[in-house]
Amino acid sequence: MRKLLLALAALAACALVVPLGFGSSHREAPGISLDPSADNTDTYAWTAKDAPGALTVAANWIPGEVPANGPNFHSFDDRARYYVHVDNTGDGRPDVSYRFRFKTKIRNKESFLYALPGASGYNDPKLNVIQRYSIDRITYHGKKKHRSEKVKTVARGLPVAPPNIGPKTFPNYQAFVDGANRTLKDGTKVFVGQRDDPFFVDLGATFDGLNVRKLTGNQGEGKDDLSGYNIHSTVLQIPERLVTKNHRSVSGADASNAVVGVWSTTERRKLQVTDSRSRRGHGGWVQVSRLGNPLVNEVVIPLGKKDQFNRTTPNRDAALYGKYVVKPELAAILNALFNVGAPENDRTDIVQALLQGIPMLNQHSGVKGPPAVDTIKLNLGVPPADTEDRFGVIGGDTAGFPNGRRLGDDVVDIELQVVAGFLKGNKVPLGDGVDRNDKPFLSSFPYLAAPTSGFDSAPSTRVEPGHAPVPAGG
Ligand SMILES: [Ca+2]
Ligand SMILES: [Ca+2]
Ligand SMILES: [Ca+2]
């Protein structure tokens, strides 16, 4: 009977936890899962080794892009607006936002091809479809309800790196990447386009009926379920003075302007006639997706609140969602299944680690509380680590998650261990067996690995342990 009860508990728990496996915020809420081109998948904020005086942010959208999905390949939506926000005071309200707006042009409307073979660059007429973007830099003035926005368009008509169709269409895909790496007048670097999904996770092993491959975890034997899939990314590298509260560079980790909070959102028109890609529509814009820390909406926010979470702003997080963080369902599930002794109540340790910031490390200075807000808090004065530890702060590497989030930080393992009670002394080596991305990251801008090409697209031929490769179509 006990076995049966455990099995039933596992089944019930499985249904709740499986979305964790899909990605850090890939298809995490019922509403946004129906709107992939507006769906934030991951947000990263870190200090790059080759750019110590800048905030580097990568914000990704469109979960699970199959590289071969032509002839209408994945793209940003001209009818949506995409944001990266920075809060430099700690109140969960943006102080600087970057808004990306897109416009797609089809050069030859008589062709069905995205590009003719041999397309070599953005000005080549063989590139039949070209998407371009503008960036508005928004700063906010005044307090709370009396805030006003100042909008300055800092980039216009820059090219989006196209989907990597294959070597015959784009013999030199890197030329498009190079052409999409731009530096704005104020020194900000920007790249927008398709990349490999940098998030890595083992759905099957972690939560195959909640079966961790080895309870001791982290043996590197997992399978990266996002391997071979692409996303669309906006990568920004912003000089510190453009994001800090006193408009100055950061002198060190203890400087009063050192900490910034970063998150990303998407907006759509309240009313949109969908007969064209035109941005025209009626009514105001409404936020439909947002993402700060990985996995918060995925496993902390319950199903009934997930769509609301996507619509609301971080300054309301404590009031609306605080109770789910201090009593996380995931802790109870881990206990039911693995008997790991995770504390189930009063989880102020999680609130601090993810939402308030760690004192003397990435907590905003000069703000009471500080309020619990879902932003990725990064201390810009902490120098990048010589050798990154994928466990970040809990691995002794203070330059990593949750002090910011680097591409290589193993947030699945970190969050499993934190929920199991790491910060309260209950150190359980939980993990999904996937320790790194399937492709190495770049050491220079835009850092994310090149996208898998449509020609090489092979999710259907992935080799699984103990199985021969299955050819596509057979
Ligand atoms: Ca603020
Ligand atoms: Ca990947
Ligand atoms: Ca992992």
Side-chain angles (χ1 to χ4, degrees):
M1 186 63 190
R2 189 161 176 273
K3 259 191 184 168
L4 178 66
L5 284 175
L6 272 177
L8 286 172
L11 269 176
C14 190
L16 295 165
V17 178
V18 158
L20 170 68
F22 205 91
S24 102
S25 181
H26 302 53
R27 302 172 51 79
E28 85 293 348
I32 197 64
S33 65
L34 301 172
D35 187 5
S37 60
D39 188 356
N40 289 95
T41 58
D42 282 280
T43 310
Y44 302 83
W46 75 102
T47 299
K49 271 187 209 171
D50 62 342
L55 164 67
T56 302
V57 177
N60 300 341
W61 281 268
I62 314 176
E65 292 183 2
V66 175
N69 259 357
N72 292 292
F73 292 89
H74 296 282
S75 72
F76 286 106
D77 189 344
D78 291 1
R79 299 165 303 184
R81 304 201 295 195
Y82 301 78
Y83 287 83
V84 168
H85 304 281
V86 180
D87 165 22
N88 55 34
T89 59
D91 61 359
R93 293 183 174 84
D95 298 295
V96 184
S97 299
Y98 289 83
R99 176 165 68 206
F100 295 80
R101 294 179 283 116
F102 294 88
K103 199 163 191 185
T104 303
K105 183 177 153 185
I106 299 169
R107 285 176 165 139
N108 175 10
K109 291 186 177 166
E110 301 300 311
S111 171
F112 76 88
L113 285 175
Y114 195 98
L116 295 171
S120 62
Y122 296 106
N123 295 323
D124 187 342
K126 287 181 184 162
L127 181 66
N128 193 30
V129 181
I130 179 166
Q131 189 172 43
R132 296 183 180 276
Y133 68 97
S134 301
I135 303 175
D136 300 322
R137 180 181 145 88
I138 305 166
T139 49
Y140 302 82
H141 306 271
K143 296 218 161 156
K144 294 192 176 173
K145 283 180 182 166
H146 305 289
R147 297 184 106 204
S148 62
E149 294 182 2
K150 195 174 139 197
V151 181
K152 187 182 174 193
T153 302
V154 292
R156 272 196 183 87
L158 302 186
V160 177
N164 189 2
I165 295 172
K168 196 168 175 185
T169 302
F170 298 138
N172 182 9
Y173 183 73
Q174 184 61 32
F176 289 97
V177 177
D178 296 341
N181 278 340
R182 298 299 181 104
T183 304
L184 309 183
K185 266 189 200 155
D186 61 14
T188 302
K189 276 189 182 175
V190 59
F191 168 89
V192 177
Q194 191 183 47
R195 301 308 279 171
D196 165 66
D197 189 342
F199 191 65
F200 49 93
V201 67
D202 188 327
L203 166 60
T206 311
F207 292 124
D208 170 23
L210 294 211
N211 171 25
V212 174
R213 264 180 217 281
K214 294 186 176 178
L215 189 54
T216 49
N218 312 317
Q219 303 298 306
E221 293 178 6
K223 176 167 64 72
D224 178 0
D225 283 297
L226 297 172
S227 152
Y229 293 96
N230 298 327
I231 42 82
H232 267 66
S233 190
T234 63
V235 189
L236 286 164
Q237 193 157 69
I238 313 163
E240 288 170 347
R241 64 183 159 75
L242 295 175
V243 291
T244 55
K245 64 182 171 189
N246 62 359
H247 314 294
R248 292 192 186 155
S249 294
V250 175
S251 59
D254 54 359
S256 64
N257 68 346
V259 177
V260 292
V262 176
W263 73 104
S264 176
T265 61
T266 324
E267 282 182 347
R268 283 198 176 281
R269 287 279 194 194
K270 279 181 183 160
L271 182 62
Q272 176 92 48
V273 178
T274 55
D275 63 345
S276 78
R277 290 177 77 101
S278 157
R279 284 202 300 271
R280 278 183 301 226
H282 301 280
W285 294 85
V286 61
Q287 181 183 308
V288 296
S289 177
R290 76 149 151 152
L291 180 55
N293 283 291
L295 307 169
V296 167
N297 201 13
E298 211 104 17
V299 297
V300 175
I301 308 298
L303 269 169
K305 298 274 182 187
K306 285 177 188 292
D307 289 328
Q308 179 190 327
F309 182 87
N310 271 335
R311 291 194 302 266
T312 50
T313 46
N315 59 298
R316 297 175 65 201
D317 283 346
L320 295 174
Y321 315 110
K323 64 177 173 184
Y324 304 115
V325 185
V326 291
K327 193 178 183 337
E329 191 176 16
L330 181 57
I333 291 167
L334 288 174
N335 286 339
L337 289 152
F338 305 124
N339 197 22
V340 293
E344 296 184 18
N345 296 295
D346 302 323
R347 298 304 305 273
T348 49
D349 60 313
I350 302 178
V351 176
Q352 187 173 82
L354 291 184
L355 308 181
Q356 290 183 301
I358 300 161
M360 312 298 287
L361 181 58
N362 65 341
Q363 202 167 85
H364 287 271
S365 69
V367 55
K368 258 195 197 161
V373 296
D374 182 17
T375 62
I376 301 173
K377 287 160 207 67
L378 171 65
N379 185 323
L380 291 165
V382 174
D386 288 333
T387 308
E388 293 184 9
D389 188 310
R390 70 186 170 93
F391 283 105
V393 171
I394 67 169
D397 174 4
T398 55
F401 185 77
N403 177 26
R405 180 185 177 191
R406 299 171 301 204
L407 297 170
D409 288 335
D410 193 341
V411 295
V412 171
D413 291 22
I414 295 170
E415 291 195 356
L416 281 172
Q417 296 196 15
V418 166
V419 171
F422 188 98
L423 302 169
K424 292 186 152 207
N426 187 39
K427 301 185 179 181
V428 186
L430 289 174
D432 68 344
V434 178
D435 299 348
R436 63 186 69 84
N437 188 34
D438 55 318
K439 293 185 170 144
F441 300 120
L442 313 180
S443 56
S444 59
F445 195 84
Y447 307 106
L448 283 75
T452 299
S453 82
F455 184 78
D456 294 325
S457 183
S460 59
T461 59
R462 268 185 303 156
V463 182
E464 297 182 14
H467 296 274
V470 181

Short mmCIF file of all heavy atoms in Angstrom, two decimals, residues 161-191:
data_model
loop_
_atom_site.label_atom_id
_atom_site.label_comp_id
_atom_site.label_asym_id
_atom_site.label_seq_id
_atom_site.Cartn_x
_atom_site.Cartn_y
_atom_site.Cartn_z
N ALA A 161 20.66 38.81 -37.58
CA ALA A 161 21.32 37.67 -38.22
C ALA A 161 20.26 36.64 -38.60
O ALA A 161 19.44 36.24 -37.77
CB ALA A 161 22.35 37.05 -37.27
N PRO A 162 20.25 36.20 -39.86
CA PRO A 162 19.17 35.33 -40.34
C PRO A 162 19.25 33.94 -39.73
O PRO A 162 20.27 33.57 -39.17
CB PRO A 162 19.42 35.28 -41.84
CG PRO A 162 20.88 35.48 -41.99
CD PRO A 162 21.28 36.42 -40.87
N PRO A 163 18.19 33.16 -39.87
CA PRO A 163 18.26 31.76 -39.46
C PRO A 163 19.33 31.06 -40.29
O PRO A 163 19.51 31.36 -41.47
CB PRO A 163 16.87 31.23 -39.79
CG PRO A 163 16.29 32.19 -40.78
CD PRO A 163 16.89 33.52 -40.46
N ASN A 164 20.06 30.16 -39.65
CA ASN A 164 21.15 29.45 -40.32
C ASN A 164 20.56 28.32 -41.16
O ASN A 164 20.40 27.20 -40.69
CB ASN A 164 22.11 28.91 -39.26
CG ASN A 164 23.38 28.35 -39.88
OD1 ASN A 164 23.57 28.41 -41.09
ND2 ASN A 164 24.24 27.83 -39.04
N ILE A 165 20.23 28.63 -42.41
CA ILE A 165 19.49 27.67 -43.23
C ILE A 165 20.36 26.48 -43.63
O ILE A 165 19.94 25.33 -43.55
CB ILE A 165 18.94 28.39 -44.48
CG1 ILE A 165 17.90 29.44 -44.05
CG2 ILE A 165 18.33 27.38 -45.45
CD1 ILE A 165 17.42 30.34 -45.16
N GLY A 166 21.58 26.74 -44.05
CA GLY A 166 22.47 25.64 -44.44
C GLY A 166 23.59 26.16 -45.32
O GLY A 166 23.56 27.30 -45.79
N PRO A 167 24.61 25.32 -45.57
CA PRO A 167 25.82 25.78 -46.24
C PRO A 167 25.65 26.14 -47.71
O PRO A 167 26.46 26.87 -48.26
CB PRO A 167 26.78 24.58 -46.07
CG PRO A 167 25.89 23.40 -45.83
CD PRO A 167 24.67 23.92 -45.14
N LYS A 168 24.59 25.64 -48.35
CA LYS A 168 24.41 25.99 -49.76
C LYS A 168 23.79 27.40 -49.86
O LYS A 168 24.18 28.19 -50.71
CB LYS A 168 23.51 24.96 -50.44
CG LYS A 168 23.57 25.02 -51.95
CD LYS A 168 22.90 23.79 -52.57
CE LYS A 168 22.86 23.90 -54.07
NZ LYS A 168 22.12 22.81 -54.68
N THR A 169 22.85 27.67 -48.99
CA THR A 169 22.23 29.00 -48.99
C THR A 169 23.20 30.04 -48.46
O THR A 169 23.38 31.11 -49.05
CB THR A 169 20.96 28.98 -48.12
OG1 THR A 169 20.07 28.00 -48.64
CG2 THR A 169 20.27 30.34 -48.14
N PHE A 170 23.84 29.72 -47.32
CA PHE A 170 24.77 30.66 -46.69
C PHE A 170 26.14 30.00 -46.56
O PHE A 170 26.48 29.45 -45.52
CB PHE A 170 24.27 31.06 -45.30
CG PHE A 170 22.95 31.77 -45.26
CD1 PHE A 170 22.00 31.44 -44.29
CD2 PHE A 170 22.64 32.78 -46.17
CE1 PHE A 170 20.78 32.11 -44.22
CE2 PHE A 170 21.42 33.44 -46.12
CZ PHE A 170 20.48 33.11 -45.15
N PRO A 171 26.96 30.02 -47.64
CA PRO A 171 28.28 29.37 -47.57
C PRO A 171 29.15 29.97 -46.46
O PRO A 171 30.03 29.31 -45.93
CB PRO A 171 28.90 29.64 -48.95
CG PRO A 171 27.76 30.02 -49.83
CD PRO A 171 26.71 30.62 -48.96
N ASN A 172 28.92 31.23 -46.13
CA ASN A 172 29.69 31.86 -45.06
C ASN A 172 28.72 32.50 -44.07
O ASN A 172 28.53 33.72 -44.07
CB ASN A 172 30.66 32.90 -45.65
CG ASN A 172 31.52 33.54 -44.57
OD1 ASN A 172 31.52 33.10 -43.41
ND2 ASN A 172 32.24 34.58 -44.95
N TYR A 173 28.10 31.67 -43.24
CA TYR A 173 27.11 32.19 -42.29
C TYR A 173 27.75 33.20 -41.34
O TYR A 173 27.12 34.17 -40.91
CB TYR A 173 26.46 31.04 -41.49
CG TYR A 173 25.39 31.52 -40.56
CD1 TYR A 173 24.16 31.94 -41.04
CD2 TYR A 173 25.62 31.57 -39.18
CE1 TYR A 173 23.17 32.41 -40.18
CE2 TYR A 173 24.65 32.04 -38.32
CZ TYR A 173 23.42 32.45 -38.82
OH TYR A 173 22.46 32.92 -37.98
N GLN A 174 29.02 32.96 -41.02
CA GLN A 174 29.71 33.86 -40.07
C GLN A 174 29.72 35.30 -40.58
O GLN A 174 29.74 36.24 -39.77
CB GLN A 174 31.14 33.34 -39.83
CG GLN A 174 31.93 34.12 -38.79
CD GLN A 174 31.29 34.09 -37.41
OE1 GLN A 174 30.65 33.10 -37.02
NE2 GLN A 174 31.41 35.19 -36.66
N ALA A 175 29.69 35.50 -41.90
CA ALA A 175 29.67 36.86 -42.44
C ALA A 175 28.43 37.61 -41.96
O ALA A 175 28.47 38.81 -41.68
CB ALA A 175 29.72 36.83 -43.96
N PHE A 176 27.31 36.89 -41.83
CA PHE A 176 26.08 37.52 -41.33
C PHE A 176 26.21 37.83 -39.84
O PHE A 176 25.71 38.84 -39.36
CB PHE A 176 24.88 36.60 -41.57
CG PHE A 176 24.49 36.49 -43.01
CD1 PHE A 176 24.93 35.43 -43.79
CD2 PHE A 176 23.70 37.47 -43.60
CE1 PHE A 176 24.59 35.34 -45.12
CE2 PHE A 176 23.35 37.39 -44.94
CZ PHE A 176 23.79 36.32 -45.71
N VAL A 177 26.87 36.93 -39.12
CA VAL A 177 27.07 37.17 -37.68
C VAL A 177 27.94 38.40 -37.49
O VAL A 177 27.62 39.30 -36.70
CB VAL A 177 27.71 35.93 -37.00
CG1 VAL A 177 27.98 36.19 -35.52
CG2 VAL A 177 26.82 34.70 -37.19
N ASP A 178 29.04 38.45 -38.24
CA ASP A 178 29.94 39.60 -38.13
C ASP A 178 29.20 40.89 -38.49
O ASP A 178 29.37 41.92 -37.83
CB ASP A 178 31.16 39.43 -39.05
CG ASP A 178 32.03 38.25 -38.63
OD1 ASP A 178 31.91 37.81 -37.46
OD2 ASP A 178 32.81 37.75 -39.48
N GLY A 179 28.36 40.81 -39.52
CA GLY A 179 27.62 42.00 -39.94
C GLY A 179 26.55 42.42 -38.95
O GLY A 179 26.07 43.55 -38.97
N ALA A 180 26.16 41.49 -38.08
CA ALA A 180 25.13 41.81 -37.08
C ALA A 180 25.73 42.27 -35.75
O ALA A 180 25.01 42.71 -34.87
CB ALA A 180 24.23 40.58 -36.84
N ASN A 181 27.05 42.16 -35.61
CA ASN A 181 27.72 42.69 -34.41
C ASN A 181 27.93 44.19 -34.61
O ASN A 181 28.69 44.61 -35.47
CB ASN A 181 29.09 42.01 -34.23
CG ASN A 181 28.98 40.68 -33.55
OD1 ASN A 181 27.99 40.38 -32.88
ND2 ASN A 181 30.00 39.85 -33.70
N ARG A 182 27.26 44.99 -33.82
CA ARG A 182 27.32 46.43 -34.03
C ARG A 182 27.72 47.14 -32.74
O ARG A 182 27.46 46.64 -31.65
CB ARG A 182 25.95 46.95 -34.48
CG ARG A 182 25.47 46.39 -35.80
CD ARG A 182 26.43 46.75 -36.94
NE ARG A 182 25.97 46.23 -38.21
CZ ARG A 182 25.40 46.98 -39.16
NH1 ARG A 182 25.22 48.28 -38.97
NH2 ARG A 182 25.03 46.42 -40.29
N THR A 183 28.30 48.31 -32.88
CA THR A 183 28.59 49.16 -31.73
C THR A 183 27.87 50.49 -31.93
O THR A 183 28.03 51.14 -32.97
CB THR A 183 30.11 49.39 -31.58
OG1 THR A 183 30.75 48.11 -31.48
CG2 THR A 183 30.39 50.19 -30.31
N LEU A 184 27.05 50.86 -30.95
CA LEU A 184 26.28 52.10 -31.04
C LEU A 184 27.16 53.30 -30.66
O LEU A 184 28.25 53.13 -30.10
CB LEU A 184 25.06 52.03 -30.13
CG LEU A 184 24.17 50.79 -30.29
CD1 LEU A 184 22.96 50.88 -29.38
CD2 LEU A 184 23.72 50.62 -31.75
N LYS A 185 26.65 54.49 -30.93
CA LYS A 185 27.42 55.72 -30.67
C LYS A 185 27.87 55.83 -29.21
O LYS A 185 28.93 56.35 -28.91
CB LYS A 185 26.55 56.95 -31.00
CG LYS A 185 26.74 57.47 -32.39
CD LYS A 185 26.00 58.81 -32.53
CE LYS A 185 25.76 59.10 -34.00
NZ LYS A 185 24.61 59.99 -34.20
N ASP A 186 27.01 55.35 -28.30
CA ASP A 186 27.34 55.49 -26.87
C ASP A 186 28.24 54.37 -26.36
O ASP A 186 28.52 54.28 -25.17
CB ASP A 186 26.05 55.56 -26.02
CG ASP A 186 25.19 54.30 -26.15
OD1 ASP A 186 25.68 53.27 -26.67
OD2 ASP A 186 24.01 54.35 -25.73
N GLY A 187 28.73 53.52 -27.28
CA GLY A 187 29.66 52.47 -26.88
C GLY A 187 29.01 51.13 -26.60
O GLY A 187 29.71 50.15 -26.32
N THR A 188 27.68 51.07 -26.67
CA THR A 188 26.97 49.80 -26.42
C THR A 188 27.16 48.87 -27.61
O THR A 188 26.98 49.27 -28.76
CB THR A 188 25.47 50.07 -26.22
OG1 THR A 188 25.31 50.96 -25.13
CG2 THR A 188 24.71 48.78 -25.96
N LYS A 189 27.51 47.62 -27.31
CA LYS A 189 27.58 46.61 -28.37
C LYS A 189 26.26 45.88 -28.43
O LYS A 189 25.64 45.62 -27.40
CB LYS A 189 28.68 45.59 -28.07
CG LYS A 189 30.07 46.00 -28.49
CD LYS A 189 30.97 44.78 -28.31
CE LYS A 189 32.39 45.10 -28.67
NZ LYS A 189 33.26 43.95 -28.39
N VAL A 190 25.86 45.49 -29.64
CA VAL A 190 24.59 44.77 -29.77
C VAL A 190 24.68 43.73 -30.88
O VAL A 190 25.35 43.93 -31.90
CB VAL A 190 23.43 45.78 -30.02
CG1 VAL A 190 23.67 46.59 -31.27
CG2 VAL A 190 22.08 45.06 -30.09
N PHE A 191 24.06 42.61 -30.60
CA PHE A 191 23.87 41.55 -31.61
C PHE A 191 22.44 41.05 -31.48
O PHE A 191 21.95 40.82 -30.36
CB PHE A 191 24.83 40.38 -31.39
CG PHE A 191 24.48 39.17 -32.22
CD1 PHE A 191 25.00 39.02 -33.50
CD2 PHE A 191 23.58 38.22 -31.75
CE1 PHE A 191 24.64 37.92 -34.29
CE2 PHE A 191 23.22 37.11 -32.53
CZ PHE A 191 23.75 36.97 -33.80
#
